[in-house]
């Protein structure tokens, strides 16, 4: 509710603009000698429902540790009325290990993933892009559209999902964005062949991809590939990847579970940090096929948590709660038991009025 209050106060567009700008700046000044981001790890399973729970850590040397715990369960919306992605983000003081902050990761993951696509598209997509294709029209598609609308003058939104009701409800779900765009129910062929930018954010099964094969595209098509997040789960065909400038968000992770898992090293381009830092060097990509392999990166979680913690402090939101057991004697975990025993052993006094 506090995250929602922050967005109500500042407005969707102001929050998204701030996040896009902060994320771009964080990429430009990123120092791998200062910030350590290992590839995420976790558990993948098929029972009782297909899904995963993973942790995404980030360590700022001499500063904080940010860890996002995220679950992905594609049957959640129909089975439990819950979002496909559930998560929380926590921040720890690296000097003591003290838990300093805990924040919702459900809304923030959707927003920061959209912001990451906006940053990548700003550097890789044609600057005059006006037609956006969305393959997969769930929750993530809403924030993809929102973020990209802050960077490009979008006019036409082409929609496809395996569930017709998800397509038919999409415009209504985007009403808060107040966009002057045309929403068009479409198919994958039309989307791939006519869009300037495409976002793929599907729950395609492991081993069932790609979503399409052998389709022609506009010469400058840019694809934000969002949905590949399992080993063996891919959305894009190999022939398209081979013809494209493929830019991973985090290569060590993308080669394990992103679109890059399909590619030999020579077909994988520089990561998004390199592209953002050297815009002129990679300006040519805006006129050719390009793919942003977005597997999700802990730097994005750090940036959005810091932003919302600042908003919360300014607005007096959030709660101070005691989660950790902090004894009065740091070397005695049972201090509270001893205190109770000593109190019960005290002789009871008698008050005499005279």
């Amino acid at each position: 509710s506090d995250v929602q209050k922050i967005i109500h106060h500042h407005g969707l567009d102001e929050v998204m603009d701030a996040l896009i700008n902060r994320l771009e700046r964080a990429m430009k000044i990123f120092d791998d000698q200062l910030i350590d981001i290992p590839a995420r790890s976790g558990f993948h399973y098929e029972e009782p429902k297909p899904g995963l729970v993973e942790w995404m850590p980030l360590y700022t040397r001499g500063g904080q540790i940010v860890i996002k715990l995220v679950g992905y369960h594609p049957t959640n919306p129909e089975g439990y009325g819950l979002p496909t992605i559930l998560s929380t983000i926590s921040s720890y003081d690296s000097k003591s290990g003290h838990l300093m902050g805990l924040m919702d990761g459900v809304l923030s993951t959707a927003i920061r993933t959209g912001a990451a696509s906006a940053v990548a598209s700003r550097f890789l997509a044609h600057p005059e892009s006006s037609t956006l294709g969305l393959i997969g029209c769930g929750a993530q598609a809403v924030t993809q559209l929102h973020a990209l609308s802050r960077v490009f003058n979008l006019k036409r939104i082409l929609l496809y999902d395996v569930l017709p009701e998800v397509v038919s409800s999409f415009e209504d779900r985007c009403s808060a964005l107040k966009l002057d765009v045309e929403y068009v129910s479409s198919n994958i062929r039309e989307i791939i062949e006519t869009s300037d930018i495409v976002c793929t954010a599907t729950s395609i099964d492991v081993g069932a991809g790609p979503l399409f094969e052998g389709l022609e595209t506009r010469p400058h098509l840019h694809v934000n590939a969002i949905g590949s997040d399992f080993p063996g789960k891919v959305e894009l065909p190999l022939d398209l990847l081979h013809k494209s400038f493929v830019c991973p968000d985090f290569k060590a992770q993308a080669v394990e579970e992103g679109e890059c898992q399909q590619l030999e090293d020579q077909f994988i381009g520089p990561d998004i940090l390199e592209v953002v830092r050297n815009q002129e060097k990679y300006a040519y990509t805006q006129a050719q096929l390009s793919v942003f392999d977005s597997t999700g990166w802990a730097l994005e979680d750090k940036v959005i948590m810091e932003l919302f913690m600042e908003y919360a402090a300014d607005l007096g939101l959030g709660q101070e709660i005691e989660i950790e057991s902090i004894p009065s004697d740091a070397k005695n975990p049972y201090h509270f038991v001893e205190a109770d025993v000593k109190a019960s052993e005290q002789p009871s006094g008698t008050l005499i009025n005279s």
Side-chain angles (χ1 to χ4, degrees):
S1 60
D2 288 336
V3 171
Q4 293 173 4
K5 287 175 185 176
I6 288 170
I7 292 176
H8 275 300
H9 179 84
H10 288 282
L12 287 169
D13 291 346
E14 181 181 323
V15 170
M16 183 60 82
D17 289 348
L19 182 58
I20 291 170
N21 292 334
R22 283 195 180 212
L23 184 56
E24 182 178 326
R25 173 166 171 74
M27 291 179 180
K28 286 180 177 178
I29 66 172
F30 182 82
D31 183 352
D32 61 7
Q33 299 300 308
L34 179 64
I35 298 178
D36 183 14
I37 307 179
R40 64 185 173 217
S41 181
F43 303 108
H44 295 194
Y45 42 86
E46 294 298 324
E47 299 293 341
K49 299 284 186 179
L52 65 81
V53 172
E54 294 181 320
W55 40 94
M56 300 173 62
L58 176 149
Y59 169 43
T60 303
R61 300 188 187 282
Q64 66 173 332
I65 294 169
V66 174
I67 301 175
K68 184 168 80 172
L69 193 68
V70 57
Y72 168 76
H73 296 83
T75 62
N76 270 2
E78 291 73 33
Y80 304 105
L82 294 171
T84 299
I85 296 174
L86 295 173
S87 68
T88 54
I89 308 175
S90 52
S91 174
Y92 300 84
D93 183 346
S94 67
K95 295 188 294 294
S96 65
H98 171 61
L99 174 62
M100 298 189 297
L102 184 65
M103 187 179 105
D104 161 62
V106 179
L107 180 57
S108 64
T109 296
I111 295 174
R112 65 78 151 148
T113 306
S117 289
V119 172
S121 300
R122 176 181 280 167
F123 289 87
L124 296 172
H126 195 285
E128 301 301 319
S129 295
S130 62
T131 299
L132 170 66
L134 298 174
I135 301 176
C137 296
Q140 186 58 66
V142 176
T143 56
Q144 291 288 311
L145 169 58
H146 182 207
L148 290 165
S149 74
R150 304 306 299 165
V151 177
F152 297 92
N153 184 23
L154 299 177
K155 296 297 185 184
R156 199 161 184 255
I157 314 301
L158 305 180
L159 308 171
Y160 172 79
D161 196 282
V162 293
L163 300 174
E165 63 272 21
V166 175
V167 173
S168 62
S169 68
F170 188 78
E171 182 175 355
D172 183 60
R173 286 184 282 126
C174 294
S175 59
L177 303 181
K178 300 178 181 178
L179 298 177
D180 183 19
V181 297
E182 179 187 11
Y183 295 93
V184 181
S185 177
S186 187
N187 56 66
I188 290 180
R189 175 179 290 276
E190 182 183 13
I191 288 173
I192 295 300
E193 291 182 345
T194 65
S195 298
D196 300 304
I197 300 173
V198 169
C199 297
T200 58
T202 72
S203 295
I204 190 170
D205 290 336
V206 172
L211 293 166
F212 59 91
E213 287 188 273
L215 300 181
E216 295 297 320
T217 71
R218 303 192 73 178
H220 59 267
L221 172 66
H222 171 68
V223 180
N224 296 304
I226 311 299
S228 183
D229 48 19
F230 275 131
K233 179 184 177 185
V234 297
E235 296 179 314
L236 303 183
L238 189 58
D239 67 318
L240 177 67
L241 294 172
H242 279 166
K243 293 186 291 185
S244 300
F245 177 89
V246 179
C247 173
D249 54 357
F250 184 28
K251 184 178 177 180
Q253 194 167 272
V255 297
E256 294 294 328
E257 54 186 59
E259 297 297 333
C260 287
Q261 67 184 289
Q262 302 185 68
L263 297 174
E264 296 177 3
D265 193 66
Q266 65 265 32
F267 293 106
I268 303 173
D271 63 25
I272 191 62
L273 288 180
E274 168 71 13
V275 172
V276 168
R277 289 168 167 175
N278 299 279
Q279 182 176 8
E280 293 184 2
K281 179 178 178 181
Y282 297 103
Y284 70 90
T285 62
Q286 295 180 331
Q288 69 168 63
L289 282 172
S290 60
V291 172
F292 175 51
D293 190 3
S294 177
T295 59
W297 193 26
L299 181 68
E300 300 159 12
D301 301 314
K302 174 181 183 290
V303 170
I304 195 169
M305 185 172 195
E306 290 177 345
L307 175 62
F308 273 81
M309 286 298 185
E310 288 179 20
Y311 282 147
D314 290 343
L315 297 174
L317 296 172
Q319 301 177 57
E320 292 283 346
I321 59 176
E322 293 183 12
I323 294 178
E324 300 156 325
S325 178
I326 308 297
S328 56
D329 179 352
K331 295 184 177 181
N332 183 4
Y334 295 149
H335 74 103
F336 59 94
V337 178
E338 288 190 1
D340 291 342
V341 170
K342 290 178 180 178
S344 66
E345 290 175 349
Q346 292 296 319
S348 58
T350 302
L351 179 64
I352 300 176
N353 290 322
S354 61

